[in-house]
Amino acid sequence: MKTQSSLARLWSYLKAYRFSVFFAVFLKVLSVVMSVLESFVLGLAITELTKNLLNMANGLAGARINTGYIGTVLIIYLFRGLLYELGSYYSNYFMTNAVQSMTQDLRNEMTEKINRIPVSFFDKHQFGDLLGRFTSDVETVSNALQQSFLQIVNAVLTIVLVLYLNFQLALVVILSIPVTYFGARSILKRSQPYFKEQAAILGRMNGYVQENLTGFNVLKLYGREESSHKEFSKI
């Protein structure tokens, strides 16, 4: 399935909770802005303190530490830190709520679908593979949305704001993006077959475990524990 098609289908489930998603993005924007402003606010205090110390070292008349100004800057810094923590925490909170609610809807729809599937389908597919769809696959989608979506927003905004505040520093970051992108793409291309194979083997293992647990009394009766253990180890 194409990436665009997958994202469109995911959004069809997620849009029911779009208020939480948009609010999470807004709070993430707030936390990123506060994060980028950290060095700027600290720089104001450091600049003023350095200026005061140089004046005192040069014996300038009336030179002293400008505690009022530095205190005000530190209060602003504390307020900035509070906004950063609140934005960071609640952006994850609202995003998690939206994604988990979407995941529940997805599981419910899968449950309804599996109850409509003919018995012949179950004869052709391992139960463990179906179990993997309900558990590990859905969980992978959930984790990807919870972790990656806000990280992408965070990365893009950070680059934009740093570009605005310090062009030279932002240029270094921007130049490293193509290297990171093509490196990740190369790794993904090589690793994807292994992930698919892992999912297939996990389905086989789940199916084998489920069948053996269901037929445990038969295994025990005919002394098949050892051969069952060997087959499990082989998988």
Side-chain angles (χ1 to χ4, degrees):
M1 189 181 295
K2 293 182 179 180
T3 304
Q4 293 87 345
S5 177
S6 300
L7 293 174
R9 291 190 67 184
L10 282 176
W11 178 247
S12 69
Y13 290 98
L14 198 57
K15 67 181 180 181
Y17 311 98
R18 55 186 176 273
F19 174 78
S20 294
V21 175
F22 293 149
F23 197 51
V25 172
F26 170 75
L27 290 173
K28 177 55 69 174
V29 171
L30 177 66
S31 68
V32 171
V33 171
M34 293 301 109
S35 176
V36 172
L37 285 177
E38 179 180 10
S39 57
F40 175 75
V41 175
L42 273 180
L44 295 176
I46 293 171
T47 300
E48 182 65 20
L49 188 59
T50 304
K51 179 182 175 182
N52 295 159
L53 290 174
L54 286 174
N55 289 339
M56 292 169 64
N58 293 328
L60 203 67
R64 61 182 181 81
I65 301 295
N66 191 352
T67 53
Y69 178 83
I70 294 174
T72 302
V73 171
L74 291 178
I75 290 172
I76 294 172
Y77 181 79
L78 179 64
F79 183 67
R80 178 218 61 85
L82 183 63
L83 287 177
Y84 168 76
E85 293 296 339
L86 289 174
S88 181
Y89 176 82
Y90 281 104
S91 63
N92 289 313
Y93 175 83
F94 283 105
M95 192 66 196
T96 300
N97 277 349
V99 171
Q100 289 304 317
S101 298
M102 182 215 74
T103 303
Q104 185 177 9
D105 293 343
L106 187 60
R107 290 188 193 278
N108 290 337
E109 188 171 316
M110 290 173 69
T111 303
E112 292 173 4
K113 176 70 179 289
I114 207 168
N115 287 327
R116 298 195 304 268
I117 292 176
V119 177
S120 59
F121 178 85
F122 297 96
D123 294 334
K124 298 174 183 176
H125 295 80
Q126 279 195 326
F127 181 79
D129 189 46
L130 298 175
L131 189 63
R133 298 285 183 185
F134 271 82
T135 54
S136 59
D137 288 2
V138 174
E139 198 63 30
T140 299
V141 172
S142 172
N143 291 335
L145 282 174
Q146 278 183 220
Q147 298 170 13
S148 303
F149 182 74
L150 289 180
Q151 285 180 355
I152 292 171
V153 174
N154 182 83
V156 172
L157 284 172
T158 301
I159 292 173
V160 171
L161 290 172
V162 171
L163 182 62
Y164 177 76
L165 292 174
N166 192 319
F167 178 78
Q168 291 83 358
L169 181 60
L171 194 60
V172 174
V173 177
I174 291 171
L175 289 174
S176 68
I177 290 176
V179 178
T180 306
Y181 171 76
F182 287 110
R185 187 176 179 180
S186 175
I187 293 170
L188 183 64
K189 185 178 179 180
R190 287 169 171 76
S191 64
Q192 196 65 22
Y194 295 105
F195 281 109
K196 290 181 180 179
E197 185 181 359
Q198 182 188 41
I201 294 172
L202 186 63
R204 284 175 54 204
M205 188 178 72
N206 286 338
Y208 189 79
V209 170
Q210 191 273 336
E211 290 166 5
N212 279 267
L213 287 176
T214 303
F216 178 75
N217 290 335
V218 178
L219 286 173
K220 194 75 174 174
L221 178 64
Y222 290 96
R224 298 281 298 174
E225 298 97 321
E226 187 65 29
S227 61
S228 177
H229 181 269
K230 288 180 179 177
E231 184 65 24
F232 178 79
S233 300
K234 182 181 177 182
I235 295 174

